[in-house]
Amino acid sequence: MFTLWINSRPFAPGESVIDHRYLVIGGGPAGLQLAYFLQRAGADHLVLERDAEPGAFFRRFPRHRRLISLNKVHTASEDPEIRLRWDWNSLLNDSPGLRFPNYSREYLPHADDLVRYLGDFQREHAPNVRYETAVERIDKDERGFVVTTGDGELRAECVIVATGWGRPNVPEIPGIELAVGYEDMPIDPAGFEDQRVLIIGKGNSAFETAERLLDHATMVHLASPRPVRLAWNTKHPGDVRGHYGRLLDSYQFKTLHSVLDCDIERIWREGDAYRVLITYSHAEGEQETLDYDAVLRCTGFRMDTSIFGAGCVPEAAPNGRIPALGPDWRSANVDGLYFAGTLMQSRDFKRASSAFIDGFRYNIRTLVRLLRERYEGVELPYELVPADPDRLTQVILDRLNWSSALWTQFEYLCDAFVPDPETGGFRHYQDLPEDYAVERFGGHDRVFTAGLRWGRDDYADVFAIQRHPRPERASESAFIHPVIRRYSRQEMTAERHLLEDLLANWRRPERHVEPLRAFMAEQLA
C-alpha cells in the first residue's frame, strides 16, 4: 500500500488529487472557445481570467480600434458553414444569434463590437470562467500541475494556456527605451502635427499607426531590416493588408514619407531631436544618421513566460516569441502543457491562420477531441467510407466544397482517410493537422489526406498570372485548390492537385470529379 501527499496531507489510493481535469489559463476568444467545447462534452474544466470580463486584449488593441479580421456579411450562401469562411470573428457554437455579423455589418469591424460579442458568448456558453483570478505561477510535479493564483492553489491533470500575447516584443537596440511603445503611444494624431516621426516596425500595427499620422506629420518613416511583406503577395492575413496602402502610395509619389530597409544601430537624444543611426540593408553597408521629433515602437508582441515555474518553462519556437509545439499543440518539452489561440501558430507559422480567431477556432475543436481521447478515453471520432473510388471521390469533394475549417486552415488542417482493419474500408477523420495525421497513422501503407493549398510560385505580378487551365497541369494552379496525397509509412508517395476555380466550386466533371476518381482508382488498385 502507498500514500500520496499533497499540502502535507495524506491521500489514500483512489482518492482524487486534482481539483479539475483541465485548467484553462485565459478567458479571451481562445479560452472561451475551449470552454464551449469542454462544456458541451461535459468535461471537468475551469477557466481562469485575470480581468473582470472577457476580451481584455481587444479592449486595448488595436489602438485605433479597427480590426483587420474580415466580416463579409453579404455572401452567396445561406449555409452557416459556408458563411464562416468569410466571418473571421465568430467563435464556433450552435446558437444562430451568436454570429458576429449580428454584432457588426462593417467589412472591417470595430474592436468594441468584438468585445461585446465575447461577453455575450461567455454568458451563454462558458459558465465555468472565474474572473479576477490572476495566475501567478504554474508548476508541475509527478502528480500533475499546481497553478498558484491570488486565491490559492489549484491542481489539474492538464493545463491549456490561452493567454494570447503577454507582453510587447522589444528589439535589442541601444536606446530603444527612448521610443514610445505601441501599447502606450498617444492615439490622437494631432499630437504629431508637423513632426518627423520614425516608426520602428513594418507590420500591421506600424502601418495602422502610420495611416493615422499621414494627415498630420511632416514626415513618416517605417524602418526594419526586412522588406514589407504584403498580404496580397504572401497570402497570409497577418502580413500588411491592402487598406494600409496609402503610405506606400505616398512613398512612390515622392512625399518624403519612406519605408526603410535598415538595421537601427542606435537611438539617442540630442537637444530637442532624436538621432537615429541606421545601416541600409541594400546599399553596400551605407550608414546614415537621421533626425526625428518622435520615435514609436511597433514591433509586435511575444509570449509571457514569467508565470512558469523553473521546471515548467516551455521551449520557444525559433523566433523566440511563441512556444515550440508538437503536432497536437502540446509543449515540446513539458508533457501535459498545451497551448491554444494565437500561441498555437508555430506549427503553421506565416502559412495558415492559427494566429487568428478564424483559424484557431478549428484547431481548438480538434484539440478538445485529442484531449478527451488522451485524458478521458473517448475515441477520436471518425466515419467509415468504403474503399470505392466513386464513394471516396464524392466524400472528399463534398468536404472540400463545404468545410470552413479546410478553407481557412489551408495547407495545415486536412481530412485523413486511414485503412479500417475490420471493414477493409477507410476511417475518415476530419480537421487534423496534416503532420499529426501522418505521424499518428504512419504505420499504414496507404493513408490519404485531403486539403486545400495555394500555389507557392513567386509571381512578378500576382494580378497578372498566366494560368494553365488543363487538369494535367493543376499542380501549377496559383489560387487555392484541392490537393489529395497518399502516404506510405509516413512518406508521401503520390499527390493529385485539382484545378483552381474562381468561385471555389470544385465539382466540374472533367476538371475535378474524373481526375480525382482516376487518381483514387489508381491508388486503390
Side-chain angles (χ1 to χ4, degrees):
M1 183 173 181
F2 60 91
T3 301
L4 296 177
W5 290 83
I6 293 182
N7 296 332
S8 301
R9 175 171 83 78
F11 281 74
E15 187 176 356
S16 175
V17 296
I18 64 168
D19 296 293
H20 298 280
R21 172 163 279 146
Y22 308 106
L23 270 184
V24 179
I25 315 300
L32 296 181
Q33 187 70 90
L34 272 162
Y36 169 78
F37 286 115
L38 292 170
Q39 176 74 17
R40 193 170 68 165
D44 175 23
H45 72 284
L46 178 66
V47 180
L48 303 178
E49 168 55 46
R50 69 189 311 164
D51 283 276
E53 53 188 317
F57 182 88
F58 292 101
R59 288 199 298 275
R60 190 175 182 190
F61 302 108
R63 294 302 308 281
H64 297 287
R65 311 308 292 146
R66 190 61 58 184
L67 299 174
I68 62 171
S69 47
L70 301 187
N71 181 42
K72 186 180 176 184
V73 176
H74 305 286
T75 71
S77 175
E78 294 301 318
D79 187 327
E81 177 72 11
I82 296 294
R83 292 173 71 89
L84 279 170
R85 292 183 171 190
W86 305 291
D87 170 3
W88 291 10
N89 300 283
S90 289
L91 298 177
L92 302 180
N93 71 94
D94 53 7
S95 299
L98 279 173
R99 296 286 186 264
F100 190 77
N102 295 327
Y103 289 74
S104 173
R105 311 295 286 180
E106 294 184 272
Y107 193 66
L108 295 174
H110 196 283
D112 289 350
D113 292 324
L114 180 57
V115 172
R116 186 163 53 92
Y117 171 81
L118 294 174
D120 289 349
F121 186 95
Q122 186 274 316
R123 283 184 285 275
E124 182 163 343
H125 286 307
N128 295 342
V129 181
R130 184 180 296 175
Y131 288 108
E132 298 183 279
T133 305
V135 171
E136 299 172 355
R137 188 179 177 90
I138 301 173
D139 292 291
K140 188 172 189 283
D141 58 26
E142 68 278 4
R143 294 166 301 214
F145 291 90
V146 181
V147 177
T148 303
T149 75
D151 298 326
E153 290 184 353
L154 291 167
R155 279 196 167 270
E157 281 187 73
C158 172
V159 167
I160 309 125
V161 176
T163 52
W165 297 119
R167 58 191 178 93
N169 178 54
V170 182
E172 295 181 358
I173 299 171
I176 191 64
E177 69 279 358
L178 297 173
V180 180
Y182 175 71
E183 66 281 3
D184 295 320
M185 67 179 60
I187 60 173
D188 183 359
F192 297 93
E193 200 84 38
D194 294 322
Q195 291 192 6
R196 301 160 298 174
V197 181
L198 172 65
I199 299 174
I200 303 173
K202 293 201 203 92
N204 280 300
S205 63
F207 275 85
E208 170 202 349
T209 303
E211 172 68 21
R212 293 283 289 171
L213 298 183
L214 286 182
D215 296 331
H216 300 269
T218 298
M219 184 174 72
V220 179
H221 287 175
L222 274 67
S224 71
R226 288 179 292 278
V228 175
R229 291 172 56 92
L230 299 171
W232 62 66
N233 286 325
T234 66
K235 308 176 182 71
H236 181 63
D239 289 327
V240 176
R241 305 292 287 280
H243 59 280
Y244 292 139
R246 199 160 63 121
L247 183 131
L248 298 176
D249 271 352
S250 299
Y251 177 46
Q252 300 295 352
F253 294 156
K254 306 178 294 297
T255 61
L256 301 185
H257 300 310
S258 296
V259 180
L260 308 177
D261 292 352
C262 64
D263 285 301
I264 299 174
E265 307 292 350
R266 186 162 66 97
I267 305 168
W268 71 97
R269 194 70 188 263
E270 195 168 294
D272 293 333
Y274 295 94
R275 310 210 75 194
V276 181
L277 174 65
I278 66 171
T279 301
Y280 290 105
S281 301
H282 316 298
E284 300 178 356
E286 178 191 6
Q287 290 193 325
E288 187 169 0
T289 299
L290 301 171
D291 291 342
Y292 298 98
D293 300 300
V295 179
L296 306 177
R297 169 178 47 76
C298 297
T299 48
F301 298 87
R302 64 187 304 120
M303 175 179 64
D304 183 5
T305 59
S306 64
I307 61 173
F308 296 100
C312 199
V313 178
E315 290 179 4
N319 68 4
R321 298 169 59 186
I322 52 179
L325 303 178
D328 59 352
W329 302 291
R330 194 185 329 179
S331 167
N333 65 307
V334 183
D335 190 25
L337 178 65
Y338 292 80
F339 289 86
T342 193
L343 297 179
M344 286 175 141
Q345 64 180 288
S346 67
R347 301 303 303 188
D348 63 322
F349 188 67
K350 293 291 186 181
R351 289 188 292 120
S353 292
S354 292
F356 309 98
I357 291 174
D358 66 308
F360 66 62
R361 62 191 179 190
Y362 303 107
N363 294 356
I364 288 171
R365 181 169 63 187
T366 298
L367 171 61
V368 170
R369 292 170 180 167
L370 298 179
L371 292 174
R372 297 197 67 219
E373 182 180 48
R374 178 181 182 184
Y375 289 98
E376 302 173 52
V378 179
E379 188 175 11
L380 189 65
Y382 63 85
E383 297 178 352
L384 289 173
V385 182
D388 172 72
D390 292 305
R391 181 61 182 144
L392 282 165
T393 296
Q394 178 186 351
V395 169
I396 290 171
L397 290 181
D398 283 349
R399 282 285 295 162
L400 294 175
N401 279 279
W402 181 73
S403 167
S404 60
L406 299 180
W407 171 271
T408 302
Q409 291 295 69
F410 57 87
E411 301 184 16
Y412 183 50
L413 296 185
C414 71
D415 280 11
F417 296 83
V418 181
D420 179 65
E422 296 182 4
T423 65
F426 288 89
R427 296 181 178 184
H428 174 200
Y429 297 91
Q430 297 182 2
D431 303 337
L432 297 179
E434 188 162 10
D435 55 354
Y436 173 84
V438 171
E439 181 179 307
R440 172 165 176 163
F441 304 117
H444 294 278
D445 287 322
R446 189 167 54 188
V447 172
F448 296 98
T449 64
L452 297 172
R453 305 187 78 82
W454 287 89
R456 280 300 175 188
D457 293 336
D458 291 327
Y459 303 104
D461 183 349
V462 296
F463 299 108
I465 298 172
Q466 182 67 38
R467 298 191 302 111
H468 306 285
R470 296 191 295 277
E472 63 271 19
R473 298 188 68 171
S475 62
E476 300 174 53
S477 294
F479 193 59
I480 195 167
H481 63 282
V483 179
I484 296 83
R485 291 171 167 172
R486 176 184 172 176
Y487 290 89
S488 296
R489 308 287 174 181
Q490 300 193 36
E491 295 291 331
M492 188 177 74
T493 58
E495 181 180 68
R496 178 74 223 196
H497 292 246
L498 303 181
L499 275 174
E500 59 194 359
D501 183 84
L502 178 63
L503 300 180
N505 184 13
W506 303 290
R507 293 189 184 277
R508 291 174 64 170
E510 73 283 4
R511 289 191 170 204
H512 308 118
V513 179
E514 288 307 321
L516 178 56
R517 188 201 175 281
F519 174 78
M520 298 307 298
E522 178 184 1
Q523 297 304 316
L524 293 173

